[in-house]
Amino acid sequence: MFAYILKRILLMLPTLLGVLLLTFVVIQFVPGGPVEQYLAEAKAGAGRAAEGGSLSYRGAQGVDEKRLAQIKALYGFDKPAPERFWIMLKNFARFDLGQSFFQNKDVWTLIREKLPVSVSLGLWTFFLSYGISVPLGIAKAVRAGTRFDWITTLIVLTGYAIPGFVLGVALLVIFGGQLQWFPLRGLTSANWDALSLGGKIVDYLWHITLPVTAMVLGSFAVVTMLTKNAFLEEIRKQYVLTARAKGLGERQVLWRHVLRNVMIPLVTGFPAAFVGAFFTGALLIETLFSLDGLGLLSYESVIRRDYPVVLGTLYLFTLIGLLTKLVSDLCYVWVDPRVKFD
């Protein structure tokens, strides 16, 4: 196993390098970089000053070459692209993600500030998805073909078909706007610091209900149907018939024998689902409910051409994704000893 892990880690390096290289090359051809945005803001400010009567303002005539060189040096664009890419790789090797162009903070600080929101959404989404979907899938398998099976299938597939942001808009309009049962934005109220511990818990749950509902409903279908189909497949196998022939009760057969084998595909998917709940699918929900998390940070960084934040978060998320994939593969051996890496 050690040789397999070492080989996988070595294979991560060219993958990570390829992702960073491709993104860096694309960035070089995207118009409207940080220098251009700075100049556009300077010209806009000059135009407003001129309209106010300061017709002699030099900014209205543009930026001189010396000032332009200073701006390029400020953002690091005074060096050729290969040199900038090499410097970035050396910094990333030390886990130095750089400094934001526009927020006057380093990337690590921004990630730490936004992470609690994404962690809150991710944890609730993950535990609710598996906590409801796995028992529901088992119940559907045991009652396959009944009215309960058909009704629950219709419900979970309807939730899967509705995009999360569409459901979020509907929840906001109905429960946040018309009925005013839940707040429209944020994770906490303005008087959060003055609340007691119990009041803070209630206030947090009050704010998190709508965004988590919008995120979690679409994820029920996959895990539920996977659990149901795996259960049905295991029930038809020979060892289940043998266990029943030996006189074991139906509950013992299902929970002691069938469930253990059914959990193999579910448990091995835990790491990817757990990490994916933090970093994927939350952009529109965070924007819709005004939640300042990692998804909104990444989107705003792309729009503002804040390249250190874009590349830094991409490097971190790609590395986490590769490690998560490795952990998922290792879970196969942990859950099912029959799997051999060689």
Side-chain angles (χ1 to χ4, degrees), residues 251-263:
R251 184 178 298 272
Q252 288 182 307
V253 172
L254 293 178
W255 294 102
R256 291 188 180 181
H257 298 277
V258 177
L259 182 62
R260 180 178 180 181
N261 292 324
V262 169
M263 291 302 293

Side-chain angles (χ1 to χ4, degrees), residues 49-72:
E51 291 176 0
S54 303
L55 298 178
S56 62
Y57 182 67
R58 284 181 53 85
Q61 304 173 7
V63 180
D64 56 31
E65 293 297 329
K66 183 177 180 180
R67 179 58 178 163
L68 182 60
Q70 292 177 346
I71 297 172
K72 289 183 177 181

Side-chain angles (χ1 to χ4, degrees), residues 146-328:
T146 63
R147 181 178 299 179
F148 172 81
D149 183 27
W150 287 103
I151 293 176
T152 53
T153 298
L154 178 62
I155 293 174
V156 296
L157 291 181
T158 301
Y160 181 74
I162 301 176
F165 70 93
V166 175
L167 180 61
V169 171
L171 293 175
L172 274 179
V173 172
I174 297 174
F175 297 101
Q178 296 178 354
L179 300 177
Q180 297 183 358
W181 290 354
F182 296 95
L184 297 176
R185 57 183 300 162
L187 279 182
T188 57
S189 300
N191 62 337
W192 168 263
D193 294 332
L195 297 175
S196 63
L197 178 60
K200 289 181 178 181
I201 295 175
V202 173
D203 183 74
Y204 167 75
L205 295 176
W206 184 46
H207 281 77
I208 202 69
T209 299
L210 291 186
V212 167
T213 302
M215 288 187 64
V216 78
L217 283 184
S219 61
F220 283 154
V222 176
V223 180
T224 299
M225 301 309 294
L226 176 63
T227 305
K228 174 190 173 182
N229 293 334
F231 230 86
L232 290 176
E233 182 181 355
E234 291 295 323
I235 288 176
R236 300 188 183 102
K237 290 185 177 179
Q238 185 65 38
Y239 74 91
V240 177
L241 298 177
T242 303
R244 287 170 174 168
K246 290 181 177 180
L248 292 180
E250 190 67 17
R251 184 178 298 272
Q252 288 182 307
V253 172
L254 293 178
W255 294 102
R256 291 188 180 181
H257 298 277
V258 177
L259 182 62
R260 180 178 180 181
N261 292 324
V262 169
M263 291 302 293
I264 292 177
L266 297 177
V267 171
T268 53
F270 277 178
F274 186 75
V275 175
F278 296 151
F279 303 120
T280 60
L283 168 59
L284 294 175
I285 299 300
E286 290 180 5
T287 305
L288 186 62
F289 290 93
S290 301
L291 304 176
D292 195 8
L294 291 174
L296 189 59
L297 171 67
S298 301
Y299 172 74
E300 291 179 345
S301 301
V302 172
I303 296 299
R304 301 183 65 183
R305 305 295 192 270
D306 198 346
Y307 295 148
V309 179
V310 173
L311 291 168
T313 53
L314 176 68
Y315 166 74
L316 181 62
F317 296 163
T318 304
L319 184 60
I320 292 175
L322 293 173
L323 292 174
T324 302
K325 182 62 177 175
L326 174 60
V327 173
S328 298

Side-chain angles (χ1 to χ4, degrees), residues 1 4-5 8 12 126 130 263-276 320-336 339 341:
M1 182 183 295
Y4 173 80
I5 295 175
R8 285 290 301 272
M12 290 180 188
F126 174 79
Y130 276 85
M263 291 302 293
I264 292 177
L266 297 177
V267 171
T268 53
F270 277 178
F274 186 75
V275 175
I320 292 175
L322 293 173
L323 292 174
T324 302
K325 182 62 177 175
L326 174 60
V327 173
S328 298
D329 292 342
L330 295 178
C331 285
Y332 276 102
V333 174
W334 175 59
V335 176
D336 189 355
V339 176
F341 287 123

Side-chain angles (χ1 to χ4, degrees), residues 15-61:
T15 304
L16 189 60
L17 179 63
V19 171
L20 293 175
L21 178 61
L22 180 61
T23 307
F24 186 85
V25 170
V26 170
I27 283 175
Q28 307 310 306
F29 298 99
V30 174
V35 175
E36 289 78 4
Q37 288 197 15
Y38 182 93
L39 296 178
E41 292 176 0
K43 291 180 180 180
R48 288 192 296 267
E51 291 176 0
S54 303
L55 298 178
S56 62
Y57 182 67
R58 284 181 53 85
Q61 304 173 7

